[in-house]
Amino acid sequence: MYQAAVRPPGTGTGAAIVEFTNMSGTKCALQGYPTVAGAANGSPDKNRPLTVTRSGPSSRVVLAPAAKAWVKLTFVQVQGEADGYCVSGATPVSYPTLVVGLPGSGATQLALEDGTLAECDDKVTVTAVTASKPS
């Protein structure tokens, strides 16, 4: 998982790309939208589910061995400097990892390549799995 190039203005991460790779020796198919939970203290047993808003259409993506698929996660952005603030008045939350799940594929705990995720309001907008790398 890494920061998206296109993200909303603010001081938090704003948007992240989750990359999936078919590690099997046979084709596999993915379809749908991810579930997302913040892993408090980096622990998956202390998940805090985020409210997911789906964006765009969903279609079946068939992956050959070693092929990749992606989803984009866009968060309600933290504003300001230092610890920042939420426009809604909520307290910003920072997660060292997320637990991301796909229908029929289970869930995986992921960390950003470059930092932690900061967000407001426990909300995330997600794209469906796609064979095209988002920005």
Side-chain angles (χ1 to χ4, degrees):
M1 182 170 58
Y2 52 91
Q3 291 192 45
V6 177
R7 51 189 187 256
T11 56
T13 302
I17 306 297
V18 179
E19 183 177 280
F20 301 92
T21 304
N22 180 357
M23 302 298 285
S24 75
T26 61
K27 290 182 186 178
C28 73
L30 299 172
Q31 183 172 356
Y33 301 87
T35 58
V36 183
N41 299 320
S43 176
D45 62 338
K46 297 179 182 174
N47 289 354
R48 184 174 180 162
L50 303 182
T51 300
V52 172
T53 300
R54 295 174 174 183
S55 174
S58 172
S59 60
R60 184 176 158 105
V61 176
V62 178
L63 298 177
K68 298 180 184 301
W70 297 267
V71 296
K72 184 173 182 178
L73 313 175
T74 304
F75 302 92
V76 177
Q77 187 66 302
V78 176
Q79 304 296 313
E81 298 295 324
D83 291 335
Y85 66 94
C86 297
V87 172
S88 68
T91 302
V93 178
S94 179
Y95 296 111
T97 61
L98 294 178
V99 177
V100 178
L102 284 176
S105 300
T108 303
Q109 185 173 359
L110 305 167
L112 273 176
E113 290 179 344
D114 55 351
T116 61
L117 290 151
E119 60 88 23
C120 292
D121 305 328
D122 293 329
K123 296 178 183 176
V124 61
T125 300
V126 301
T127 64
V129 176
T130 179
S132 301
K133 187 176 180 180
S135 57

